[in-house]
Amino acid sequence: MFDLSATELSAAIKAKKISVTEAVSAYIERVEKNDKTLNAFVTVSKENALARAAEVQRRIDGGEALSPLAGVPVAVKDNISVKGVETACASKTLGGYVPVFSATVVERLEQAGMIIMGKLNMDEFAMGGSSETGARGAVHNPWDVSRVAGGSSGGSAAAVVSGEIPAALGSDTGGSIRQPCSFCGATGIKPTYGSVSRYGLIAYASSLDQIGPIGRDADDCAALLSVISGADEKDSTCVIKKPFDFPADCPSAAGLKIGVPRNYFGAGIDESVKKAVLAAAEEFKAAGYGVEDFEMPMMDYMVPAYYIIACAEASSNLSRYDGLKYGYRNADAKTLSDVYRLSRSEGFGIEVKRRIMLGSFVLSSGYYDAYYKKALQARYLIKEAYDALFGRFDMLISPVAPTSAYKIGENVGEPVKMYMGDIYTVSVNLAGLPAIALPCGFDEKALPVGFQLIGSAFSEKTLVGAARLYQSRTDFHTRRAPTGGEPQ
Amino acid sequence: MIIDGKLLEYLENLSCLTLSDGEKERLSADLGEILSFMERLGELDAAGVPERSHPFDDVNAFREDEAGGSFDRSLILRNAPEKNGEAFIAPKTVE
């Protein structure tokens, strides 16, 4: 059963080869057995999941038409609200917080007949690229447990590739779905901004955040994105009119052109990553796509612009944590000011404090124009550059990260080095574009390497068509991590 | 960029944080390094370029302006560290 993809598992359930309860029980058992090593889960909702499994089985037996993912267990990142289940963003600040409502995406998963099996570990408040900064400890990479799983959706990617869950949701503010997929060998989609509701997603940077699927292949991600996308009256920025639909004949190859940003393959990228991604571009050429290289404008300004904007929005969003309404409160504070300051100072970890203070700085009087205003202007130019490129190309192919997974603790204390690891992903969020990340090889340390396809706004169908074609010609996505793998 | 004690204290106040001595040392060095890195934006000629705070021009899809239900107060209060039956409890601010 663990070899089945999410859509195959649902088909097996509907064909009565396996029951929903058997599937959910088997996955729970697997998490209980293996997750002490990986630390991908922060919560397993055993009782709820088994009760839901019985209910969904009754609906299937009753002939109810459910989705192509009905009966399949799924888990969500710990920043996505699930009614009645602790949702802490892997932070002491939100420890014990139990939402009284579910995120729209969670409601949609449940309407589709999926079983929410638990919450997945992450960087605290999604601020990080290694899933090391959370209050619940680091997520370990299933290919080598001495290494990071990437972040911030590291728990989601690690759980999927280790077979602890067939599919998962993550969130992507500057690469947080794509980079852990690359580090762990999973497939993931960062959807167009405004295509998936953010209602119930605990905010980091609201103009950049987007929830998306992580799965074993493009088909599973497409099926999951069909379920969670679509307009939502609870999120006015969700401007999409209707959910995505990914028929078997999504456009691929004929007449489509892929651009390769040649300056993404210069200094700073590992040779093995460069080789694997360029080989993927060759694969598309062999499959009939037009492939041509170009110079990506604005490359030097992407990471500074992203971190200025993301931190500015974070400093505002995280001002809600005051020690009064929910979450952690210092027990000894006597004045209102002390409640605020002591609760926040004791509740937030160092990376969150760093980003709040950076955000406060770039928005402060005297620095606003040189930093925040300039970053917004850079964002305008980045978006313009992409608009011009999509007049020439149907999609772009690029690395996801300059390296494969590094050792746990290796980059802690080197924030600029860590931030530069986001060089290939952040501009996609600044421009609100969709991108799909998928595995394209392994490096000399036997660690997965991924690439991303970036499309114009709402071109998910074209991206999925290309990803399906690539995965029909390669087998990198079918290779399974040795769960609880030993350090190499 | 040098983050001196005065600027760090200003940022602590803006951020509503009180840092430990160890955090002060670490963050003043980190923030200085990160802001120096961000200064490369200064090289960008952006004269006359508009500011973009949202990815798209079509920002909002509004729903009808109709009153809907709300959450039960007792449920909301369950998450509060200190509360009575009706409200969050905060230290007195006016004597």
Side-chain angles (χ1 to χ4, degrees), chain B residues 6 8 14 39 46-47 51 53-54 58 61 65 75 92-94:
Chain B
K6 197 175 159 196
L8 195 69
L14 286 176
E39 279 168 11
E51 298 159 40
S53 56
H54 189 279
D58 181 14
D65 185 17
L75 285 177
K92 191 179 277 188
T93 52
V94 179

Side-chain angles (χ1 to χ4, degrees), chain A residues 96-98 100-101 192-193 199 207 233 236-237 239 300-301 303-304 307-308 323-327 329 334-336 339-341 344-345 350 353-354 356-358 360-361 364 367 371 373-381 383 415-416 419-420 431-432, chain B residues 1 3 7-8 10-19 23 26-27 30-31 33-35 37-56 58-63 71 75-76 79-82 88-91 93:
Chain A
Y97 168 67
V98 179
V100 298
F101 65 96
T192 304
Y193 185 87
Y199 180 74
S207 80
E233 65 173 28
S236 71
T237 65
V239 294
D300 285 347
Y301 307 116
V303 175
Y307 274 96
I308 289 169
L324 294 176
K325 302 185 291 292
Y326 34 65
R329 175 169 178 165
K334 298 285 186 279
T335 67
L336 188 61
V339 171
Y340 293 161
R341 291 185 75 123
R344 289 166 61 81
S345 301
I350 193 78
K353 289 176 186 173
R354 189 177 343 204
I356 290 174
M357 292 178 80
L358 274 170
S360 299
F361 176 87
S364 66
Y367 298 105
Y371 289 88
K373 182 181 170 189
K374 200 68 184 283
L376 295 183
Q377 291 174 309
R379 185 178 194 176
Y380 184 93
L381 293 171
K383 173 79 166 49
V416 171
Y419 296 173
M420 280 305 288
Chain B
M1 174 133 197
I3 306 290
L7 180 54
L8 195 69
Y10 177 59
L11 294 178
E12 282 181 87
N13 286 332
L14 286 176
S15 308
C16 213
L17 291 168
T18 302
L19 302 179
E23 286 175 328
R26 184 171 171 186
L27 286 180
D30 286 354
L31 295 178
E33 188 190 347
I34 294 165
L35 289 168
F37 165 70
M38 287 172 171
E39 279 168 11
R40 81 165 54 160
L41 264 184
E43 299 161 11
L44 176 67
D45 180 7
V49 174
E51 298 159 40
R52 180 171 278 291
S53 56
H54 189 279
F56 306 127
D58 181 14
V59 175
N60 280 304
F62 290 115
R63 62 174 170 80
F71 294 109
L75 285 177
I76 298 284
N79 276 306
E82 286 188 38
F88 304 117
I89 301 294
T93 52

